[in-house]
Amino acid sequence: DQQVKQNSPSLSVQEGRISILNCDYTNSMFDYFLWYKKYPAEGPTFLISISSIKDKNEDGRFTVFLNKSAKHLSLHIVPSQPGDSAVYFCAARGVTSGSRLTFGEGTQLTVNP
Amino acid sequence: NAGVTQTPKFQVLKTGQSMTLQCAQDMNHEYMSWYRQDPGMGLRLIHYSVGAGITDQGEVPNGYNVSRSTTEDFPLRLLSAAPSQTSVYFCASSYWGDKTYEQYFGPGTRLTVT
């Protein structure tokens, strides 16, 4: 069973507008969530994270929102830039999982100039 | 710091052949892991290790072996390659017990099994 789901395989946005990437999870034991960004032919790189005790975390153009009652998180990128075009993975850690992460399927974001 | 390094970058194997994918990190991280990335499947955990001499299975361990004799190295062995193991393989590492849980990834190995 897929405990972390990213239902949109792709998203296309105009430069300067907001990009919103969504992620749903089913395991209520997840207590920490991360977003990773991946360019072609490179490994994923950490972008931003949020603890389950918070509902928002902001870092520059990137903000992650967590809605625990809906088991939903989203990544907002404002303003979007062509260099943001990449695959974005949502990941979650379980309370009893140590450092193990469960990843979603990924969303390909394309920012058009 | 080189971070996490993986070799080779590309590999083509015939069905039934065996090989070892190498992974090394120079950050003194206790936790290391192997993932495979397949289209529409995200990153799936194959095996992981929380320190030298300690390994455990992840989500998709069948057909793979690991060992951890040093903190730095965590090789992944394919015992008898199958076409279903065609994938991109990523090694990652992090501090164990680090409250940010941020993992650092290598550049990946693209494996094709014919």
Side-chain angles (χ1 to χ4, degrees):
Chain A
D1 65 332
Q2 189 72 21
Q3 297 187 64
V4 178
K5 277 205 72 64
Q6 295 176 253
N7 289 311
S8 299
S10 63
L11 175 68
S12 186
V13 167
Q14 281 301 116
E15 181 178 4
R17 307 294 288 267
I18 184 171
S19 296
I20 300 177
L21 294 97
N22 294 304
C23 178
D24 297 296
Y25 62 96
T26 57
N27 189 343
S28 57
M29 298 297 283
F30 287 145
D31 68 343
Y32 206 84
F33 302 89
L34 304 89
W35 284 93
Y36 279 82
K37 177 178 178 177
K38 185 185 176 306
Y39 292 118
E42 294 184 12
T45 54
F46 170 75
L47 189 57
I48 192 170
S49 61
I50 188 166
S51 163
S52 61
I53 63 172
K54 299 190 172 189
D55 54 19
K56 176 182 172 180
N57 188 28
E58 198 169 348
D59 183 1
R61 297 186 296 114
F62 302 92
T63 303
V64 57
F65 295 93
L66 175 61
N67 182 334
K68 278 198 303 185
S69 60
K71 293 194 175 69
H72 176 83
L73 65 155
S74 60
L75 174 68
H76 292 212
I77 306 173
V78 184
S80 302
Q81 299 172 354
D84 296 328
S85 297
V87 176
Y88 289 78
F89 290 101
C90 169
R93 184 206 94 106
V95 169
T96 58
S97 299
S99 293
R100 277 179 295 152
L101 300 178
T102 301
F103 283 82
E105 303 93 327
T107 297
Q108 170 71 58
L109 172 66
T110 303
V111 180
N112 301 302
Chain B
N1 278 2
V4 180
T5 58
Q6 291 183 238
T7 55
K9 285 187 100 64
F10 301 95
Q11 183 71 49
V12 179
L13 288 179
K14 290 188 177 354
T15 297
Q17 287 184 317
S18 63
M19 79 158 294
T20 299
L21 279 62
Q22 301 292 344
C23 173
Q25 52 92 9
D26 61 0
M27 297 174 281
N28 206 30
H29 286 163
E30 302 93 343
Y31 181 82
M32 295 186 74
S33 54
W34 277 100
Y35 295 89
R36 58 179 289 173
Q37 184 196 2
D38 302 293
M41 308 282 282
L43 295 160
R44 292 183 292 167
L45 183 65
I46 304 171
H47 284 285
Y48 66 96
S49 168
V50 301
I54 307 169
T55 63
D56 207 344
Q57 297 181 352
E59 246 182 294
V60 288
N62 292 342
Y64 307 95
N65 239 350
V66 291
S67 59
R68 183 100 178 267
S69 55
T70 67
T71 301
E72 296 77 20
D73 300 297
F74 190 43
L76 178 73
R77 277 181 285 279
L78 278 70
L79 310 171
S80 176
S84 61
Q85 293 179 304
T86 293
S87 188
V88 182
Y89 291 85
F90 291 101
C91 179
S93 72
S94 70
Y95 290 110
W96 179 251
D98 180 22
K99 293 295 187 276
T100 67
Y101 308 109
E102 178 186 342
Q103 293 187 16
Y104 296 79
F105 283 81
T109 294
R110 183 173 292 274
L111 175 68
T112 302
V113 183
T114 60

